[in-house]
Amino acid sequence: MEPVSEAKFWQQRYETDSIGWDMGEVSPPLKAYIDQLPESAKDQAILVPGAGNAYEVGYLHEQGFTNVTLVDFAPAPIAAFAQRYPKFPTKNLLCADFFTLSAEDFQFDWVLEQTFFCAIDPSRRDEYVQQMAALLKPNGKLVGLLFDKVFGRDEPPFGGTKAEYQQRFVASFDIDIMEPSYHSHPARQGSELFVKMRVKD
Protein backbone atom coordinates (compact mmCIF):
# COMPACT_ATOMS: atom_id res chain seq x y z
CA MET A 1 0.00 0.00 0.00
CA GLU A 2 1.32 3.42 -0.92
CA PRO A 3 1.50 5.95 1.92
CA VAL A 4 -1.43 8.33 2.21
CA SER A 5 0.90 11.28 1.59
CA GLU A 6 1.43 10.21 -2.01
CA ALA A 7 -0.90 11.12 -4.85
CA LYS A 8 -0.75 7.67 -6.43
CA PHE A 9 -2.26 6.10 -3.29
CA TRP A 10 -5.37 8.26 -3.75
CA GLN A 11 -5.39 8.02 -7.51
CA GLN A 12 -5.61 4.25 -7.20
CA ARG A 13 -8.45 4.56 -4.69
CA TYR A 14 -10.45 6.78 -7.02
CA GLU A 15 -9.76 4.52 -10.00
CA THR A 16 -11.07 1.50 -8.04
CA ASP A 17 -13.89 3.44 -6.33
CA SER A 18 -12.43 2.63 -2.91
CA ILE A 19 -13.27 5.85 -1.05
CA GLY A 20 -15.36 4.11 1.57
CA TRP A 21 -16.51 7.22 3.44
CA ASP A 22 -17.70 9.12 0.36
CA MET A 23 -21.37 9.99 0.99
CA GLY A 24 -22.18 10.68 -2.65
CA GLU A 25 -23.78 14.04 -1.83
CA VAL A 26 -23.24 17.41 -0.18
CA SER A 27 -22.70 17.01 3.55
CA PRO A 28 -25.93 18.26 5.22
CA PRO A 29 -24.20 20.43 7.88
CA LEU A 30 -22.09 22.13 5.23
CA LYS A 31 -25.07 22.64 2.95
CA ALA A 32 -26.87 24.29 5.87
CA TYR A 33 -23.87 26.55 6.50
CA ILE A 34 -23.59 27.54 2.84
CA ASP A 35 -27.34 28.22 2.62
CA GLN A 36 -27.22 30.82 5.41
CA LEU A 37 -24.34 32.82 3.94
CA PRO A 38 -25.20 36.32 2.71
CA GLU A 39 -25.21 37.28 -0.95
CA SER A 40 -22.06 39.34 -0.30
CA ALA A 41 -20.12 36.14 0.43
CA LYS A 42 -20.49 34.86 -3.11
CA ASP A 43 -17.34 36.54 -4.41
CA GLN A 44 -15.15 35.60 -1.45
CA ALA A 45 -12.07 33.47 -2.11
CA ILE A 46 -12.88 29.98 -0.85
CA LEU A 47 -10.56 26.97 -0.71
CA VAL A 48 -11.71 23.35 -0.55
CA PRO A 49 -8.54 21.29 -0.04
CA GLY A 50 -8.27 17.55 -0.64
CA ALA A 51 -11.68 18.01 -2.18
CA GLY A 52 -12.04 14.54 -3.67
CA ASN A 53 -15.38 14.22 -5.42
CA ALA A 54 -16.09 17.79 -4.30
CA TYR A 55 -19.86 17.74 -3.84
CA GLU A 56 -19.57 20.92 -1.75
CA VAL A 57 -17.61 22.67 -4.50
CA GLY A 58 -20.31 21.71 -7.00
CA TYR A 59 -22.99 23.03 -4.65
CA LEU A 60 -21.17 26.33 -4.10
CA HIS A 61 -20.85 26.69 -7.88
CA GLU A 62 -24.56 25.95 -8.37
CA GLN A 63 -25.44 28.59 -5.77
CA GLY A 64 -23.47 31.28 -7.61
CA PHE A 65 -20.22 31.39 -5.65
CA THR A 66 -17.69 32.66 -8.16
CA ASN A 67 -14.27 32.31 -6.51
CA VAL A 68 -14.00 28.72 -5.24
CA THR A 69 -10.73 26.81 -5.60
CA LEU A 70 -10.66 23.03 -5.54
CA VAL A 71 -7.34 21.37 -4.66
CA ASP A 72 -6.51 17.68 -4.85
CA PHE A 73 -3.28 15.96 -5.75
CA ALA A 74 -4.98 13.00 -7.40
CA PRO A 75 -5.95 13.76 -11.03
CA ALA A 76 -8.96 11.42 -11.16
CA PRO A 77 -11.42 13.37 -8.96
CA ILE A 78 -10.48 16.67 -10.60
CA ALA A 79 -11.10 15.25 -14.07
CA ALA A 80 -14.42 13.81 -12.93
CA PHE A 81 -15.47 17.14 -11.40
CA ALA A 82 -14.53 19.05 -14.56
CA GLN A 83 -16.70 16.66 -16.56
CA ARG A 84 -19.66 17.18 -14.23
CA TYR A 85 -19.24 20.97 -14.15
CA PRO A 86 -17.88 22.04 -17.55
CA LYS A 87 -18.56 25.73 -16.77
CA PHE A 88 -16.47 25.71 -13.59
CA PRO A 89 -13.33 27.85 -14.19
CA THR A 90 -10.45 25.50 -14.94
CA LYS A 91 -7.95 27.91 -13.37
CA ASN A 92 -9.61 27.11 -10.03
CA LEU A 93 -9.09 23.36 -10.41
CA LEU A 94 -5.66 22.72 -8.93
CA CYS A 95 -4.02 19.33 -9.17
CA ALA A 96 -1.51 20.06 -6.44
CA ASP A 97 -0.37 19.07 -2.97
CA PHE A 98 -2.07 21.31 -0.40
CA PHE A 99 1.10 21.36 1.68
CA THR A 100 3.12 22.87 -1.17
CA LEU A 101 0.75 25.78 -1.91
CA SER A 102 2.55 29.06 -1.42
CA ALA A 103 0.97 31.70 0.77
CA GLU A 104 2.55 34.28 -1.55
CA ASP A 105 0.44 32.94 -4.43
CA PHE A 106 -2.74 31.93 -2.61
CA GLN A 107 -4.78 33.72 0.05
CA PHE A 108 -8.35 32.83 0.97
CA ASP A 109 -11.20 34.39 2.92
CA TRP A 110 -12.22 31.01 4.22
CA VAL A 111 -11.54 27.31 3.87
CA LEU A 112 -14.12 24.54 3.80
CA GLU A 113 -12.88 21.39 5.56
CA GLN A 114 -14.63 18.19 4.53
CA THR A 115 -12.81 14.85 5.04
CA PHE A 116 -9.38 16.26 4.19
CA PHE A 117 -8.02 16.45 7.73
CA CYS A 118 -9.04 12.81 8.32
CA ALA A 119 -7.31 11.66 5.13
CA ILE A 120 -3.82 13.02 5.81
CA ASP A 121 -1.19 11.16 7.80
CA PRO A 122 -1.91 12.06 11.46
CA SER A 123 1.76 12.97 11.90
CA ARG A 124 1.11 15.97 9.61
CA ARG A 125 -1.74 17.49 11.60
CA ASP A 126 0.33 20.30 13.10
CA GLU A 127 1.67 21.01 9.61
CA TYR A 128 -1.94 21.18 8.40
CA VAL A 129 -2.76 23.80 11.06
CA GLN A 130 0.26 25.91 10.14
CA GLN A 131 -0.46 25.72 6.41
CA MET A 132 -4.13 26.62 6.93
CA ALA A 133 -3.16 29.65 8.97
CA ALA A 134 -0.67 30.72 6.29
CA LEU A 135 -3.20 30.45 3.44
CA LEU A 136 -5.92 32.46 5.17
CA LYS A 137 -6.23 36.21 4.89
CA PRO A 138 -6.31 38.24 8.13
CA ASN A 139 -9.49 37.31 9.99
CA GLY A 140 -9.96 34.35 7.63
CA LYS A 141 -12.05 31.36 8.70
CA LEU A 142 -11.71 27.59 8.70
CA VAL A 143 -15.17 26.01 8.61
CA GLY A 144 -16.19 22.40 8.32
CA LEU A 145 -16.40 18.99 9.91
CA LEU A 146 -13.96 16.82 11.85
CA PHE A 147 -14.56 13.25 12.95
CA ASP A 148 -15.34 13.00 16.67
CA LYS A 149 -14.41 9.35 16.73
CA VAL A 150 -11.27 7.25 17.10
CA PHE A 151 -11.26 4.55 14.43
CA GLY A 152 -8.23 2.70 15.78
CA ARG A 153 -6.68 1.71 12.48
CA ASP A 154 -3.71 2.63 10.33
CA GLU A 155 -5.52 3.69 7.17
CA PRO A 156 -7.84 6.59 6.42
CA PRO A 157 -10.12 7.92 7.60
CA PHE A 158 -8.14 8.80 10.69
CA GLY A 159 -10.30 10.04 13.55
CA GLY A 160 -9.65 12.04 16.66
CA THR A 161 -11.18 13.85 19.61
CA LYS A 162 -12.33 17.35 20.43
CA ALA A 163 -9.60 17.66 23.08
CA GLU A 164 -6.90 16.79 20.53
CA TYR A 165 -8.23 19.25 17.97
CA GLN A 166 -8.47 22.06 20.50
CA GLN A 167 -4.88 21.47 21.54
CA ARG A 168 -3.65 21.45 17.94
CA PHE A 169 -5.55 24.48 16.64
CA VAL A 170 -5.44 26.84 19.63
CA ALA A 171 -2.00 28.27 18.87
CA SER A 172 -3.03 29.53 15.42
CA PHE A 173 -6.82 29.90 15.62
CA ASP A 174 -9.51 31.36 17.81
CA ILE A 175 -12.12 28.61 18.03
CA ASP A 176 -15.63 30.04 17.70
CA ILE A 177 -17.45 26.71 17.41
CA MET A 178 -16.33 23.12 17.94
CA GLU A 179 -19.45 21.23 18.83
CA PRO A 180 -21.29 18.02 17.87
CA SER A 181 -22.98 18.37 14.50
CA TYR A 182 -26.75 18.04 14.68
CA HIS A 183 -27.46 17.84 10.97
CA SER A 184 -25.07 15.04 10.06
CA HIS A 185 -25.76 12.48 7.38
CA PRO A 186 -27.40 9.42 9.03
CA ALA A 187 -24.23 7.38 8.43
CA ARG A 188 -22.26 9.92 10.47
CA GLN A 189 -24.76 10.87 13.15
CA GLY A 190 -23.00 11.33 16.47
CA SER A 191 -19.50 11.11 15.02
CA GLU A 192 -18.85 14.61 13.66
CA LEU A 193 -17.90 17.98 15.10
CA PHE A 194 -18.88 21.16 13.32
CA VAL A 195 -16.02 23.61 13.56
CA LYS A 196 -15.71 27.29 12.84
CA MET A 197 -12.47 29.03 13.76
CA ARG A 198 -10.73 32.25 12.89
CA VAL A 199 -7.03 32.65 12.20
CA LYS A 200 -5.21 34.65 14.86
CA ASP A 201 -3.55 37.94 13.95
Side-chain angles (χ1 to χ4, degrees), residues 51 54 104 119 138 140 154 156 158-159 172-173 175 183-184:
E104 293 182 3
D154 59 359
F158 302 108
S172 300
F173 287 86
I175 299 172
H183 308 292
S184 292

Side-chain angles (χ1 to χ4, degrees), residues 24-193:
E25 62 183 74
V26 180
S27 173
L30 300 184
K31 181 180 182 296
Y33 178 79
I34 293 166
D35 287 347
Q36 58 81 48
L37 291 171
E39 194 71 21
S40 59
K42 291 192 172 179
D43 62 353
Q44 290 181 338
I46 304 166
L47 171 66
V48 185
N53 287 316
Y55 305 109
E56 287 73 25
V57 178
Y59 187 69
L60 285 162
H61 179 63
E62 290 165 359
Q63 302 309 305
F65 287 78
T66 60
N67 194 7
V68 184
T69 298
L70 181 164
V71 174
D72 205 295
F73 64 0
I78 292 179
F81 181 87
Q83 193 169 23
R84 293 201 313 273
Y85 292 96
K87 294 184 178 179
F88 191 89
T90 54
K91 67 180 177 61
N92 288 13
L93 296 175
L94 298 184
C95 188
D97 183 343
F98 163 80
F99 290 102
T100 67
L101 296 182
S102 168
E104 293 182 3
D105 297 328
F106 297 99
Q107 287 285 286
F108 299 95
D109 294 295
W110 60 283
V111 178
L112 186 64
E113 163 58 52
Q114 162 65 341
T115 66
F116 176 50
F117 184 86
C118 73
I120 63 172
D121 187 315
S123 68
R124 304 191 79 181
R125 288 183 168 180
D126 288 340
E127 188 182 351
Y128 167 106
V129 173
Q130 292 163 7
Q131 177 70 337
M132 280 293 177
L135 293 173
L136 283 165
K137 296 177 182 180
N139 214 33
K141 301 188 297 287
L142 173 62
V143 179
L145 297 165
L146 299 173
F147 275 118
D148 188 20
K149 183 177 183 179
V150 176
F151 294 101
R153 58 186 184 184
D154 59 359
E155 65 176 12
F158 302 108
T161 65
K162 180 177 178 179
E164 178 207 344
Y165 303 148
Q166 287 175 323
Q167 184 178 16
R168 289 191 186 278
F169 282 97
V170 70
S172 300
F173 287 86
D174 292 319
I175 299 172
D176 296 333
I177 302 171
M178 186 177 285
E179 298 296 339
S181 170
Y182 299 110
H183 308 292
S184 292
H185 186 279
R188 296 189 185 167
Q189 200 68 45
S191 63
E192 289 183 317
L193 295 169

Side-chain angles (χ1 to χ4, degrees), residues 22 28 159:
D22 189 304

